Amino acid sequence: MTFKPAHLLVALLATAAIPVMAQNLAVVNTKPIPASKLEALVKQAKAQGQQDTPQLRASIKDRLISIEVLTQEAEKAGLGTNPEVKTQLELARQQILIQNLMREYANKNPISEADIKTEYDKAKAQAGDKEYHAFHILVEKEDEAKAIISKLKAGAKFEELAKQSKDPGSATKGGDLDWASPATFVPDFSNALVALQKGQFTETPVKTEFGYHVIKLDDVRPSKFPAIEEVKQQIVDGLQQRKLQAYQQALMKKAKIQ
C-alpha cells in the first residue's frame, strides 16, 4: 500500500499527537488536564491508605474534570480578578508552600532513636514509680474548703460533699480523679497528695490556680508505665512538633520585620 502525500501528512500528525494526548488526562473546552494531576492525587490517596485501583483512578478523573469545568466557569464570571478571591488564593498558596516547607524540613531532620529513648526515659522518670488514686473537692473560696474539712472531721462522707465541687468531671463521681501519676497534677496539688497516707484527706485547703482543693488519698500502687513501643509514635509526633516550632521561631528571629 502507498500513501499519497496528503494522507501521509495526516498519519504523521496523528502519530505525533499520541505522546501529547498520553500526557493529558482529558481536554475540557480545549484546555488540557495534565495526567500528572491524576498521579499526584493517586499518590496522595495511597498515602492515606487507599488502594490504587481502576475505580479510584476513574473517580479522581471525574473529580478533576468537574473541577476544571467549574473553574472555567468561575474564570468566565470574572471571579479570578475579584480582590477578595485573589486574597483567598494567595493565602491558600502560602499555606501550601508552608506545609511543604515544614514537610521538607521534617524529612531532612528526622527524629533519631536516641532522641526517642531520651524523651521516653525523661517521661518515665517524671511519672515516678507510683500511681495515686486521688479524690478531691474544688471550691472557689478558702472558707468553703475549711467548712468542708470541718464536716469531714465530723464524719460527713467525702463522696456526698464532692457534689458541690466546681470540677464537673469529678463532682458526679464523688470527687474521683482515678489512678494517676503525681506529675499529671499541678505542683501544689501533687505535693499535698504525696504527703498523705492512705485514707487521709488534707486538713488545710490546698490552693492552686483553679481554686481551693480538699484532697483525699484512697490508695497507692506501683506505676504501670507503657513500654516504649506503645508510645513511640506519640513521642515522635511530640518531638517533631517541637522541632518544627523551634525552626519557625528561628526563622522569625532572623526575619527583618518593620
Side-chain angles (χ1 to χ4, degrees), residues 56-75:
L56 174 67
R57 287 176 172 268
S59 174
I60 292 174
K61 178 180 177 179
D62 289 344
R63 181 157 36 115
L64 286 171
I65 291 172
S66 176
I67 288 171
E68 182 58 39
V69 169
L70 295 172
T71 300
Q72 289 183 21
E73 189 62 26
E75 293 282 4

Side-chain angles (χ1 to χ4, degrees), residues 124-249:
K124 188 174 182 180
Q126 288 176 344
D129 58 356
K130 294 179 182 177
E131 289 183 322
Y132 292 73
H133 189 190
F135 289 70
H136 85 139
I137 302 170
L138 175 64
V139 290
E140 188 173 347
K141 298 178 181 178
E142 184 176 15
D143 288 343
E144 294 177 86
K146 287 180 177 179
I148 289 169
I149 291 169
S150 296
K151 290 177 183 178
L152 288 171
K153 287 181 177 180
K157 291 186 176 181
F158 195 98
E159 292 74 11
E160 286 297 318
L161 295 176
K163 292 177 180 178
Q164 63 187 285
S165 178
K166 283 174 54 184
D167 177 9
S170 64
T172 57
K173 299 186 295 183
D176 193 351
L177 293 173
D178 208 347
W179 289 95
S181 161
T184 61
F185 302 113
V186 293
D188 289 333
F189 188 105
S190 176
N191 293 337
L193 175 63
V194 300
L196 294 171
Q197 298 296 317
K198 294 180 185 179
Q200 282 188 333
F201 57 84
T202 51
E203 297 190 6
T204 56
V206 179
K207 187 178 185 303
T208 71
E209 60 196 273
F210 305 106
Y212 291 87
H213 306 258
V214 179
I215 306 167
K216 184 179 81 169
L217 175 60
D218 180 65
D219 203 357
V220 183
R221 70 183 183 189
S223 64
K224 299 177 181 178
F225 203 74
I228 190 168
E229 292 77 14
E230 297 177 51
V231 292
K232 185 174 182 178
Q233 190 56 53
Q234 184 179 338
I235 293 172
V236 169
D237 292 344
L239 288 173
Q240 193 70 76
Q241 187 61 36
R242 276 157 42 190
K243 187 174 282 191
L244 290 174
Q245 287 175 348
Y247 174 55
Q248 182 178 340
Q249 289 168 0

Side-chain angles (χ1 to χ4, degrees), residues 91-116:
L91 289 172
R93 174 182 169 277
Q94 289 177 330
Q95 187 62 37
I96 292 168
L97 285 171
I98 291 168
Q99 287 173 351
N100 282 276
L101 173 68
M102 293 303 177
R103 186 180 298 114
E104 184 177 272
Y105 181 82
N107 290 337
K108 290 181 177 178
N109 298 272
I111 304 300
S112 69
E113 291 296 325
D115 293 334
I116 296 170

